[in-house]
Amino acid sequence: MSLLSIQEPEDFNPRPWRAEHPLWRLGFRPFYLMAAIFAVISVPLWVASYLGWMGAWPRVGLGWHMHEMVYGMAVAVVVGFLFTAARAWTGLPTPSKGHLAALAGLWLAGRVAMLAAPAGLAAIVDLLFLPLAAWPLYRVLAQSGNKRNLFLVALLALLTVANGIFHAAALGLIAVNMTAPIQAAILLIVVIESVIGARVIPMFTRNGAPGTQPIVKPMRDRYALGLTLAAALAWICGLPAPVCAPLAIAASLVSMWRLAGWQPRRTLRVPLLWILHVSYGWIPVGFFLLGLAALHLVTPSAAFHALTVGSMAGLIIGMMARTTLGHTGRPLKAGRADVAMFWLIQLGAVARLAVGLGPFGLREPGLIVAALCWSLAFGLYVIAYGPRLMRPRVDGRDG
């Protein structure tokens, strides 16, 4: 009996500026790679600026950091994932070749503009990306009759609205705290995580951890999603603590109940699974802290960093590894680099949460540890997966 041998293809165009290059075959390829590279650079840049190591560079302030973690890194991964998933859902082509390269270039132009261009021009360039990325996604979903996933286009539209409010506030056009639209955008992405996670994590667990039987109850899922939406809206609208706190804590408890049914304890020997379960577990942690923040018992920063570093970044790096392996024709098996980057991102989340909850004297060392863990995790992804993203599928299929 012969064994299947997976070898790296050698016959491919090595010039990534050509539309035929493998990098431009499917959305996950350029957007995952660019997001990871940007993640490696951006957080140390912000920490160095915050600690005064860079002198006067006013563009790298808190507003830039908040915006770029959502509309730079996270949005790139969301768009890359949705382009890839939509092709699988519908069987119709999503942006590739020149179209995909143009969208990737627009995203990159937005990152450069946010650092160096006049604020008005930066706002225009940055605001163009999401609508132009959402339109082809809408077209393939509508053409295929895939109404089940059209809500994702609506969420991208809401993310665009929040981005517009952020830029209007930054330009002094409206009297809104810049933190508010970014927090709204984070909660929108958490909703996306909650919906997609409920679809794929139990399925991945059943298929990847022999003997597991994840419990999925539609009524429980509806309660979890409904309470998550209600708590998010209550926070965004600034409702009083007697309304906001119970909703956030209820969302936390139901989300944890939902996760427990997926049998996370039985995935500990499968890194590609436990990273998804652990990262999803930060959602109830974040909402519990959000409830405490509404009561002024902890800072909102602690809650939102649990949601961003713990949940968002953890699910991002777990799904980036998994989809890169699957969509480049490789076995769904974690290597040493994967295990290291999964642990690093979780350690970084714990360190960042400790900064938000611990004594002020530990803030600077905690930020440095969190930034190092973050950058090392995404740096490992670039090193381990960058060459795979730049080469054709090992099985010869398109994608």
Side-chain angles (χ1 to χ4, degrees):
M1 181 179 68
S2 62
L3 296 176
L4 176 64
S5 175
I6 296 179
Q7 297 180 347
E8 295 293 338
E10 296 181 0
D11 183 20
F12 77 103
N13 188 336
R15 294 170 289 182
W17 56 88
R18 300 292 297 272
E20 296 79 14
H21 192 277
L23 184 64
W24 311 115
R25 291 184 178 177
L26 198 52
F28 77 97
R29 290 177 176 268
F31 283 114
Y32 284 10
L33 184 58
M34 292 192 306
I37 293 171
F38 184 69
V40 171
I41 298 168
S42 57
V43 166
L45 190 64
W46 150 244
V47 171
S49 174
Y50 176 81
L51 296 177
W53 296 350
M54 297 174 54
W57 193 357
R59 295 300 290 271
V60 186
L62 179 60
W64 176 86
H65 170 62
M66 293 189 302
H67 180 273
E68 292 301 276
M69 287 301 93
V70 176
Y71 288 100
M73 192 271 286
V75 157
V77 176
V78 169
V79 168
F81 172 81
L82 290 178
F83 281 175
T84 305
R87 196 172 84 160
W89 293 335
T90 66
L92 298 175
T94 52
S96 62
K97 297 185 178 180
H99 188 184
L100 181 57
L103 287 171
L106 180 59
W107 176 88
L108 182 60
R111 310 293 57 80
V112 174
M114 289 298 295
L115 273 175
L121 177 60
I124 293 169
V125 175
D126 180 57
L127 282 167
L128 284 172
F129 174 70
L130 266 176
L132 292 176
W135 174 245
L137 181 66
Y138 168 77
R139 286 180 60 189
V140 298
L141 293 175
Q143 185 179 344
S144 67
N146 191 311
K147 296 180 180 179
R148 182 189 186 206
N149 291 306
L150 277 174
F151 80 96
L152 293 166
V153 179
L155 290 177
L156 293 182
L158 289 173
L159 283 171
T160 303
V161 171
N163 198 19
I165 294 171
F166 169 87
H167 283 294
L171 292 168
L173 302 177
I174 57 175
V176 173
N177 189 319
M178 289 188 297
T179 302
I182 297 300
Q183 290 182 348
I186 291 168
L187 292 171
L188 280 170
I189 292 176
V190 170
V191 170
I192 295 174
E193 294 170 2
S194 184
V195 173
I196 299 297
R199 290 184 187 177
V200 302
I201 295 175
M203 178 182 65
F204 291 163
T205 301
R206 188 178 296 109
N207 296 339
T212 57
Q213 290 295 329
I215 299 170
V216 177
K217 293 187 176 181
M219 185 61 71
R220 184 188 301 176
D221 289 347
R222 285 193 285 271
Y223 285 149
L225 181 59
L227 285 167
T228 299
L229 281 168
L233 284 170
W235 182 270
I236 292 166
C237 295
L239 296 184
V243 176
C244 194
L247 281 174
I249 292 172
S252 168
L253 294 174
V254 175
S255 294
M256 185 61 76
W257 181 32
R258 179 198 218 182
L259 175 60
W262 299 344
Q263 299 183 328
R265 66 192 180 280
R266 304 190 68 173
T267 68
L268 298 179
R269 295 182 180 274
V270 188
L272 287 174
L273 291 177
W274 69 248
I275 183 60
L276 301 180
H277 285 264
V278 172
S279 300
Y280 193 92
W282 281 97
I283 294 177
V285 171
F287 272 88
F288 187 81
L289 291 171
L290 205 62
L292 296 184
L295 298 170
H296 305 289
L297 299 176
V298 301
T299 64
S301 176
F304 279 96
H305 279 98
L307 292 172
T308 52
V309 185
S311 175
M312 190 185 300
L315 287 170
I316 278 173
I317 207 162
M319 288 302 293
M320 286 200 311
R322 186 180 190 92
T323 53
T324 302
L325 289 171
H327 285 280
T328 57
R330 292 172 172 82
L332 293 176
K333 185 176 181 181
R336 291 181 179 178
D338 299 281
V339 175
M341 64 192 191
F342 296 164
W343 274 107
L344 281 165
I345 206 69
Q346 294 302 319
L347 290 172
V350 171
R352 189 59 188 84
L353 183 59
V355 168
L357 297 177
F360 188 80
L362 295 178
R363 183 172 181 81
E364 291 189 5
L367 284 174
I368 294 169
V369 170
L372 282 173
C373 289
W374 171 283
S375 291
L376 285 171
F378 283 101
L380 281 172
Y381 178 85
V382 173
I383 293 168
Y385 286 92
R388 301 171 184 179
L389 293 167
M390 298 284 286
R391 302 179 76 90
R393 287 181 62 123
V394 295
D395 56 9
R397 295 169 59 190
D398 187 33

